[in-house]
Amino acid sequence: WGIEPSYLVSPTLRVSARYDRVVLDAYDGENSFRVLSPRLTFPLDGWGELFLMYSRYWYGDKIHLRAGQVPLVTEPDANVFKIQAQVAW
């Protein structure tokens, strides 16, 4: 589940923050992680949008490393930056 409130600062800028709790197994709520993602959205004259977003992940103790990652040497990604363009026609 998640929530994303947003605020239209001006016709050319929207600010939002998304919070998600991701449960990987419906019968095991402890096997979950959380994500907080502040985002800037720049509308492009009605034909698209440009997004700049940062995401911070918090993992529980039961989240496992991906294949190829070495315990105590590598950790799951905790900080992610994203640039995205979206066009509609």
Side-chain angles (χ1 to χ4, degrees):
W1 60 269
I3 185 169
E4 184 175 1
S6 66
Y7 179 72
L8 186 61
V9 177
S10 71
T12 59
L13 177 63
R14 180 181 304 120
V15 176
S16 62
R18 181 167 182 86
Y19 174 80
D20 290 290
R21 179 170 183 241
V22 180
V23 180
L24 301 173
D25 182 347
Y27 299 105
D28 186 7
E30 292 180 12
N31 189 16
S32 66
F33 62 92
R34 290 157 177 79
V35 186
L36 180 61
S37 304
R39 178 167 73 173
L40 299 174
T41 303
F42 302 94
L44 302 173
D45 294 328
W47 57 269
E49 296 176 312
L50 177 66
F51 303 100
L52 300 174
M53 184 167 68
Y54 165 78
S55 294
R56 172 70 171 116
Y57 290 79
W58 288 275
Y59 299 99
D61 295 336
K62 297 176 84 177
I63 298 296
H64 300 288
L65 298 173
R66 294 187 308 265
Q69 290 185 315
V70 180
L72 302 177
V73 175
T74 57
E75 298 292 329
D77 296 330
N79 300 292
V80 177
F81 183 73
K82 178 180 179 180
I83 299 173
Q84 176 182 338
Q86 177 172 294
V87 177
W89 63 90

